[in-house]
Amino acid sequence: ITNPEEISTLVNKNYRLPQDYTPNDLALISPTFSKGEKYLRKEAKQAFEKLGADASEKGYTIRLSSGFRSYEYQKILYTYYVNHNGKEYADLCSARPGHSEHQTGLSFDVEGSLYDYNRFEETKEFLWMKENAHRYGFILRYPKGKEKITGFKYEPWHYRYVGKEIAGIIKENNLTLEEYLSQT
C-alpha cells in the first residue's frame, strides 16, 4: 500500500500495511459510544459519534466494540484463531498481521442492544445500520454473498469508514470496496 492515509485505501488479503504503520490522527471514542478505550482516525471518530448520537435519539444503542488494532495486536489475534480453530478457519474470520483494516483506524466492530457483536445481526440496531450507515460514510465491509470477493466470511458487525460519497455509491450499487475500487 503506497498511501495508507487515504480514506479509500484497500487493505485485504492482497494488500498489506507496513508493520510499523499507525495512523497519526487516532482519537479516543467517547465512552458513550464505546466499549472500553477504543480509537479511530479523527474523521471516522467524528462520523461514528454522530451516527451513535443520532441512533441514540431514535432509541438505538450502537457501541464500538473494537476499533484500531496495531500490527502486533493483530498478530496475537490471528495466532489465537490459528491455534484454536486452525489456519483455514482463521483465514476466513481474521486478517493476517498487516492485512487488517483495523490497523488503518478506519474499521471497527459494533454491538447493539444485545451487547454482543456476534449477535449484532439479531438486533434492531443492525437493521438501522443497514439503512443508515452510508449516510455517515460507513459501509458494511464483509456483506453476505460477497465472501469470494472480500475473502472473509459475512460479518454483520464490521464496518469501514470510506466517506459519504463513496459509501453512498457502494450502498446504492450493492458493491464491496473491492468492486468499487476496481471500477474507478
Side-chain angles (χ1 to χ4, degrees), residues 30-103:
S30 164
T32 304
F33 306 112
S34 178
K35 185 178 179 178
E37 203 172 281
K38 308 291 184 225
Y39 294 84
L40 290 175
R41 285 184 52 190
K42 185 178 179 183
E43 186 176 338
K45 170 210 185 285
Q46 291 169 342
F48 182 76
E49 288 179 350
K50 173 76 170 128
L51 176 150
D54 290 353
S56 182
E57 285 179 13
K58 296 181 180 347
Y60 301 108
T61 301
I62 298 174
R63 293 188 331 159
L64 197 111
S65 62
S66 180
F68 168 76
R69 293 183 197 152
S70 68
Y71 180 97
E72 288 304 316
Y73 182 86
Q74 191 65 31
K75 184 176 179 180
I76 292 166
L77 189 60
Y78 179 76
T79 301
Y80 171 86
Y81 279 111
V82 169
N83 291 340
H84 287 84
N85 303 100
K87 190 172 179 306
E88 187 176 325
Y89 177 80
D91 284 336
L92 287 175
C93 69
S94 181
R96 293 177 184 208
H99 295 271
S100 173
E101 285 193 324
H102 284 278
Q103 191 179 343

Side-chain angles (χ1 to χ4, degrees), residues 2 19 27 30 33 40 42 52 54 59 64 70 77-78 95 104 107-108 112 125 137 149 152-153 177 184:
T2 55
Q19 184 172 342
S30 164
F33 306 112
L40 290 175
K42 185 178 179 183
D54 290 353
L64 197 111
S70 68
L77 189 60
Y78 179 76
T104 67
S107 282
F108 55 89
E125 288 84 2
I149 296 165
F152 289 98
K153 71 181 181 81
L177 184 56
T184 57

